[in-house]
Amino acid sequence: RGVAQDGVGKGRGLMGKAAFTIIELLVVLAIIAILAAFSVVSFHHVLEDRNRKQAKVELEALRTALVSYRSDYGGYPKCPQEICTPGECLFLSLAGFHNEKGGLQLPPYRPLVPPSIFGYDLSSFDAAEIPNVTHNEGKSLMLWLSQTLDKDVAFLDPWGSEYVYEYPREDGEKGYLLFSMGPDGKTGEGFHEDDIK
């Protein structure tokens, strides 16, 4: 009888120990999952904060370039023939491909925006490679530019959307609008600059 009780007691002890080990394992896994979730949330917050700071730097660089453009040419970039989209017009003007009349400038002027901020390099091409086009045939220039830059012919925000540029403004106000649509691509985070008299 004593042996049997000892055997039963040992069996219960082993079962109790095994169950306790499984509970410990589940608790450890739950703690790891909670820590991983905090890490993902923290990383997303850090990445989002970095993107917002980058967008502010880029918007400030574009604003400064627009002030320089206005100082040099007496107005903000626009495409009189309305061949370019506003984003293309902004890029072409600040990258030196638009002259003061809004026409194509080949070879281009010195860029007003530091290319390193937006990750493009216009010094890597040979001016002889630029297609011989007029503004009416600008599609071949746009195709050549997008292939040369390996990106859209526009300034893109950190979330991959084109910066919104509006001049003249649709609301009839003076100056231009310039902003990022933000992380969701819909709400619009940025600023607008009124015309400076």
Side-chain angles (χ1 to χ4, degrees):
R1 221 183 246 184
V3 173
Q5 285 177 352
D6 287 344
V8 170
K10 286 181 181 177
R12 284 184 186 159
L14 289 175
M15 289 283 288
K17 183 67 174 163
F20 186 69
T21 304
I22 290 173
I23 290 172
E24 283 180 330
L25 181 62
L26 290 174
V27 168
V28 168
L29 288 175
I31 291 171
I32 290 172
I34 290 168
L35 291 174
F38 280 133
S39 297
V40 168
V41 169
S42 295
F43 176 74
H44 177 72
H45 178 69
V46 167
L47 184 63
E48 197 57 39
D49 190 45
R50 183 190 64 110
N51 285 342
R52 287 180 191 278
K53 287 178 181 174
Q54 181 66 28
K56 285 181 182 179
V57 167
E58 291 175 356
L59 282 166
E60 185 59 28
L62 290 173
R63 187 192 69 76
T64 300
L66 284 166
V67 169
S68 295
Y69 188 93
R70 184 174 185 269
S71 174
D72 290 347
Y73 305 124
Y76 295 117
K78 65 179 181 176
C79 187
Q81 298 175 19
E82 298 183 356
I83 295 169
C84 308
T85 67
E88 290 170 344
C89 177
L90 180 68
F91 183 89
L92 291 172
S93 297
L94 300 185
F97 284 91
H98 266 178
N99 59 29
E100 56 278 8
K101 296 177 184 175
L104 287 177
Q105 178 63 38
L106 300 173
Y109 291 143
R110 175 188 58 81
L112 296 174
V113 172
S116 59
I117 292 178
F118 291 94
Y120 71 89
D121 182 14
L122 289 175
S123 64
S124 63
F125 68 85
D126 180 2
E129 296 174 357
I130 299 174
N132 185 15
V133 295
T134 64
H135 207 105
N136 293 333
E137 300 166 5
K139 290 183 180 177
S140 57
L141 174 68
M142 295 301 197
L143 179 61
W144 173 81
L145 260 176
S146 64
Q147 289 171 344
T148 301
L149 299 172
D150 195 25
K151 61 184 284 186
D152 291 340
V153 182
F155 295 112
L156 303 180
D157 68 18
W159 300 279
S161 298
E162 193 173 303
Y163 281 107
V164 177
Y165 171 69
E166 190 180 304
Y167 181 77
R169 289 171 56 161
E170 293 176 9
D171 61 8
E173 295 291 323
K174 294 180 180 178
Y176 61 84
L177 287 178
L178 176 67
F179 58 94
S180 164
M181 291 302 288
D184 62 3
K186 298 174 185 175
T187 55
E189 292 187 4
F191 60 88
H192 60 89
E193 183 75 15
D194 290 330
D195 200 358
I196 302 167
K197 292 285 182 184

